[in-house]
Amino acid sequence: MSLYTAETRRLTKRRFTRFFALGTLLVLAAIVAGMFLSNHKASPERLAAAQAEAAQEYELAVRQTAKEKADCQAAQGTAAAQNFPPSCDDLYQPTREDFQASWYMPPTFTFREQFGYLVIALAALLAVMAFVIGATYVGAEWSSGGMMNLLLWRPQRLKVLGTKLGALLVSLTAFTVLVSAVWTGVFALTAHLRGTLAGMTSGAWQSMLLMELRGLVLVLVAGALGFGLASLGRHTATALGAAIGAIIVFQFGLGTVLSMAKVPYVEAYLVPVWVEAWMGKSSVATDWNSCDFSSTSGCEPATLTITWPMAGGLFAAVVVLVVGAAMWTIRSRDIT
């Protein structure tokens, strides 16, 4: 049996891997069920009911306004006049346009408008799963002594660690592609039954596919980072501690400090804006303490646009740094 095959089996047979992946799938299933049950088809019957409800609300508003105007006129010259405008004619008169039938329609799942957000949600959940599984996969090997025993059998350190990483990334790729395909199909069916697929041209489908590919890359980046951090610390807790520290220190502490110091483009120092730029192709950071004056729009805060190539370059640099450091340390440190 080859080393790669053995490592793939080791990864997929681990109970933690299976249970964590199953838990992630259950969360995704709950999202699917919630979206399916909370949306409804915009049928002619529902449209007629919404139009009737809008007309009823309009008539109710007209009667209420007429009553308020009568009360206003009756209150003139009394102490109660202060509860009304100086002129009773200033009371707002509702119009039919104020009550649109669309406001009374049940939510409808529009695939083209809403599926992009669901792709981001899928990528985020799978990225968390990949990070934790990647960290526990190699961290458990170090803490249990399994890595030392394996290196006695295969004393090629870089090859062993590289093969483990390769098995992890290939497995994550297969899992993510399969789940993404099911995710797309399920929500396409939801749109067919509980919404609409209108506007889904070949270009729109291509855009969704490219977003899912960027989601796959995000999952692989998360898995590689979890693997690399756990390998550096030779324990799962190293990666999980680094993740918790990054969330608490950089997302809350650093953001608060930079805001108090009035540093421009605070969002650009935080991870979410880079993930948003990667998944959505661009993201805008705003310097709320600046004034970009224009004769047409006046004083507007300056903005910084972060594009997906910029985000991709940052992710690549971080992965190379962390995984490269893990490879360097296993090559030079004692295996004990």
Side-chain angles (χ1 to χ4, degrees), residues 64-305:
Q64 183 177 353
T65 302
K67 181 180 181 302
E68 289 182 358
K69 188 171 184 179
D71 293 341
C72 176
Q73 292 172 344
Q76 296 300 310
T78 67
Q82 63 181 352
N83 299 325
F84 299 95
S87 174
C88 296
D89 293 332
D90 292 337
L91 289 171
Y92 181 76
Q93 298 295 320
T95 64
R96 188 65 183 84
E97 289 71 23
D98 293 332
F99 298 86
Q100 301 292 328
S102 58
W103 300 349
Y104 303 91
M105 291 286 290
T108 298
F109 182 67
T110 305
F111 190 90
R112 182 166 185 172
E113 296 178 1
Q114 297 174 265
F115 185 65
Y117 299 105
L118 293 168
V119 172
I120 295 176
L122 173 67
L125 287 171
L126 292 183
V128 172
M129 180 202 73
F131 184 91
V132 175
I133 289 179
T136 58
Y137 170 48
V138 70
E141 290 287 297
W142 281 112
S143 59
S144 66
M147 181 68 79
M148 181 176 62
N149 293 332
L150 178 59
L151 289 176
L152 291 176
W153 173 55
R154 287 288 184 94
Q156 300 165 303
R157 299 185 178 190
L158 293 180
K159 182 178 180 180
V160 168
L161 191 63
T163 302
K164 285 182 175 291
L165 178 59
L168 172 68
L169 297 182
V170 171
S171 299
L172 288 176
T173 299
F175 184 82
T176 302
V177 169
L178 177 60
V179 173
S180 297
V182 174
W183 190 254
T184 304
V186 166
F187 280 108
L189 180 62
T190 300
H192 177 71
L193 298 176
R194 299 278 181 143
T196 177
L197 285 165
M200 288 307 298
T201 61
S202 59
W205 282 111
Q206 183 179 10
S207 178
M208 295 296 182
L209 176 60
L210 291 175
M211 179 179 282
E212 290 182 336
L213 288 176
R214 292 195 296 274
L216 169 61
V217 173
L218 186 65
V219 172
L220 296 181
V221 166
L225 288 178
F227 181 94
L229 290 171
S231 184
L232 278 172
R234 299 190 176 185
H235 204 286
T236 302
T238 303
L240 301 183
I244 295 173
I247 293 173
I248 295 177
V249 175
F250 288 99
Q251 299 310 298
F252 296 101
L254 181 62
T256 302
V257 171
L258 294 179
S259 297
M260 294 175 62
K262 296 184 178 181
V263 174
Y265 312 116
V266 173
E267 300 100 321
Y269 296 89
L270 307 179
V271 173
V273 72
W274 292 91
V275 174
E276 179 184 355
W278 174 251
M279 293 299 299
K281 296 192 291 188
S282 67
S283 183
V284 177
T286 304
D287 182 8
W288 298 105
N289 300 310
S290 66
C291 175
D292 189 2
F293 182 77
S294 171
S295 58
T296 57
S297 58
C299 188
E300 296 288 341
T303 59
L304 172 66
T305 300

